[in-house]
Amino acid sequence: MPEWPGVRAVPLDLLRQSVRDSSIAIPPAADAIVARTEDRLISGPDRDIGIRCYWPMGEGPFPMTVYMHGGGYVVGDLDTQDMIARALCAWGQTLVVSVDYRLAPEHRFPAGPEDSYAALEWAAAHGRSLDGDPARIAVAGDSAGANYACALALMARDRGGPPLRGVVNIYGSCNYPSDDTPSAREFVDGPILRGDDVTWFWEQYLADPAERDDYRASPFRAASHAGLPPHFVGTAECDPTRDDAEAYAAKLGDAGVPVTMRRYAGMVHGFASWVGFLPGARAVMQDAGAFLKTVFGQ
């Protein structure tokens, strides 16, 4: 199969449509069975935010997980990582609230993390009406969405927001990209994600390069990581952002945060979306589900 072209060479509307078309064609895991789903609109900072709720099988009240999809801050929606949300719901036995946050470059930083934080606050305030348990809330994401999940943990700590039981970070770098780590050098030409792709996504996301130091954009750069909830960090071996994500796991550990960090051999950035047929993807999603069950006390 020929390698995908670099994202810089693809018009934005075509990039979004091609990602959407290819993503919704990917089958979910056949045994990631959810009881039902429901799309809603909730109030956000500047506009209504779309969410999709997933209920697990069984009887509630269920612990709750606010999930943000990946897509480099630029692409993706409630459908493109539906398979990940389903796996979290089924294997974590958690009610999942998936967030359709605003995308760059039309809505640059901090629109995405602020939309996501508004959804977290909404989930905490309205959880009981969803048959959820607001006393047991986690956040989760993949790639850019994982950066948002990690930022939300810091935002909730510093704003006196909903107390979180845990954070799931699936290949989220949590830092403005470095081109001088071993993984960035080894996988500068991919597979799937190139070093220049990473740079381009961040160029769309930040209006001012100085924003890279804001912890809502780069959680790694927070002044302190003390007092954060347990984190699960899953990385892909063949990913230019791998070392940044693993450095964040190490920084959390140094701050006394309980961290479960696993690198998945032979995997590439985005691999969790292939949970329906790829053993490595199934492994990371089952590990994330087991982590959620643990932090929820199930």
Side-chain angles (χ1 to χ4, degrees):
M1 173 182 286
E3 179 62 275
W4 294 359
V7 295
R8 194 180 294 275
V10 182
L12 181 57
D13 58 347
L14 179 58
L15 176 65
R16 285 175 173 162
Q17 191 61 51
S18 62
V19 168
R20 178 174 169 79
D21 290 346
S22 61
S23 297
I24 64 177
I26 300 171
D31 56 342
I33 299 170
V34 305
R36 66 186 179 95
T37 68
E38 180 182 314
D39 289 2
R40 296 189 177 200
L41 284 175
I42 64 173
S43 296
D46 296 301
R47 59 146 207 178
D48 287 345
I49 302 168
I51 63 169
R52 179 173 297 160
C53 299
Y54 299 75
W55 282 266
M57 304 296 288
E59 294 190 9
F62 301 104
M64 306 174 68
T65 301
V66 177
Y67 164 72
M68 282 66 63
H69 66 80
Y73 316 107
V74 173
V75 303
D77 55 35
L78 295 177
D79 295 326
T80 56
Q81 272 94 337
D82 174 79
M83 73 294 282
I84 293 179
R86 289 177 181 274
L88 287 172
C89 175
W91 297 339
Q93 280 294 288
T94 175
L95 193 164
V96 171
V97 178
S98 182
V99 185
D100 193 21
Y101 55 83
R102 287 172 290 175
L103 299 176
E106 297 90 341
H107 304 284
R108 294 181 183 265
F109 174 84
E114 290 296 342
D115 282 358
S116 301
Y117 189 77
L120 171 61
E121 290 192 308
W122 181 90
H126 296 85
R128 295 196 185 281
S129 69
L130 301 172
D131 200 17
D133 180 1
R136 293 185 294 164
I137 299 183
V139 291
D142 61 292
S143 192
N147 286 0
Y148 287 167
C150 292
L152 260 55
L154 291 158
M155 294 163 73
R157 180 198 66 182
D158 292 352
R159 297 180 182 182
L164 300 177
R165 292 290 188 93
V167 179
V168 171
N169 170 353
I170 301 175
Y171 42 74
S173 65
C174 290
N175 200 1
Y176 188 82
S178 169
D179 59 5
D180 196 33
T181 64
S183 65
R185 293 192 297 270
E186 182 175 1
F187 303 109
V188 65
D189 293 321
I192 301 295
L193 183 70
R194 298 174 174 86
D196 186 62
D197 297 339
V198 178
T199 300
W200 182 85
F201 283 125
W202 280 84
E203 288 171 356
Q204 310 314 302
Y205 182 42
L206 302 184
D208 181 345
E211 292 171 335
R212 71 185 70 179
D213 293 323
D214 188 314
Y215 74 61
R216 292 172 297 173
S218 300
F220 183 92
R221 303 188 184 203
S224 170
H225 295 85
L228 294 179
H231 281 55
F232 171 85
V233 180
T235 65
E237 178 186 10
C238 306
D239 179 354
T241 71
R242 180 198 71 205
D243 292 346
D244 284 332
E246 293 181 1
Y248 189 62
K251 189 152 197 170
L252 291 169
D254 290 344
V257 178
V259 180
T260 300
M261 209 294 294
R262 290 178 184 157
R263 180 191 294 182
Y264 294 85
M267 295 296 100
V268 299
H269 195 89
F271 77 99
S273 294
W274 304 326
V275 63
F277 59 87
L278 184 69
R282 186 177 180 87
V284 71
M285 294 312 305
Q286 288 185 327
D287 290 345
F291 168 83
L292 288 172
K293 283 184 172 180
T294 297
V295 298
F296 289 141
Q298 294 175 298

